[in-house]
Amino acid sequence: MKILIAVPCMDQCPTPFVQSLALLRRVGDCTLAMKPGSLIYTARNDLATRAIQMEADYVFWLDSDMVFQPDTLERMMDTMQKNDLDFLTGLYFRRVPPYSPVLFDQLDIDGVVCKFSEFQTIPDSLFEVGGCGFGCVLMKTDVFFDVQIKHGNMFAPIANNGEDVAFCWRARDCGYKIYCDPSVICGHVGYSVVDDQFFRAFSK
């Protein structure tokens, strides 16, 4: 089993991310690819292309401002395989109040207008989402083939929304479902490391 660990990044990565990456336990035959650059959608397209070229079975996306547990990849792979999933995200939160999850309950594009709503509460077990950020995502490389064939540019932004939202919409348009494992919780590095404790405190 071949896995590409794909990290789009700027020229430097925060120390908490580097520490998490160093401690991450690998699964199968893992290759790390870090793509610097200011255009995030270009970096993601390049990393997706590399996954296809190296015939990776999975791509594990990590943003360079994430903090995560050493067993994150192991747990996500276990969830993917036990539930026969194609596209799985972990759970992380925005860095500013109200610290909402970077998950979308509904995600639809009408022409060039993107319509979405965010989750206000988080289920306790695996659940389907309309879209997600790409801070911590595990997906089968097959998803790229279908998205590229139908839509061409996989990560090009749509309606002034991010490349991650655009890709989620394209993947769902190709028939894929996106799931979140809420037991896989990542921190989001900002002025503080925002995690589920911030979210719960602000939601009370």
Side-chain angles (χ1 to χ4, degrees), residues 177-188:
K177 294 184 177 180
I178 305 170
Y179 290 87
C180 176
D181 184 347
S183 71
V184 177
I185 300 176
C186 300
H188 203 168

Side-chain angles (χ1 to χ4, degrees), residues 33 39 48-49 54-55 66 68 77 81 98 114 121 147 153 155 158 191 196:
L39 294 178
T49 299
M54 66 178 277
E55 299 182 343
M66 290 286 104
F68 41 91
M77 183 61 70
Q81 294 180 337
C114 184
T121 58
V147 171
N153 193 319
F155 285 97
I158 300 175
Y191 292 110
D196 60 321

Side-chain angles (χ1 to χ4, degrees), residues 33-98:
M34 303 183 76
K35 182 67 178 181
S38 58
L39 294 178
I40 183 69
Y41 66 89
T42 299
R44 291 203 192 280
N45 275 323
D46 289 347
L47 289 165
T49 299
R50 177 165 180 180
I52 293 171
Q53 291 173 341
M54 66 178 277
E55 299 182 343
D57 300 295
Y58 296 89
V59 175
F60 183 42
W61 293 100
L62 289 170
D63 280 354
S64 60
D65 56 1
M66 290 286 104
V67 175
F68 41 91
Q69 296 299 314
D71 64 350
T72 296
L73 178 55
E74 291 176 324
R75 292 170 60 195
M76 293 182 73
M77 183 61 70
D78 185 61
T79 298
M80 286 271 284
Q81 294 180 337
K82 283 183 177 178
N83 296 278
D84 192 24
L85 306 180
D86 299 299
F87 194 141
L88 179 68
T89 180
L91 178 62
Y92 67 101
F93 305 85
R94 300 187 188 282
R95 293 178 291 193
V96 296

Side-chain angles (χ1 to χ4, degrees), residues 166-181:
F167 185 90
C168 288
W169 179 82
R170 292 184 178 109
R172 289 178 57 239
D173 188 55
C174 291
Y176 289 100
K177 294 184 177 180
I178 305 170
Y179 290 87
C180 176
D181 184 347

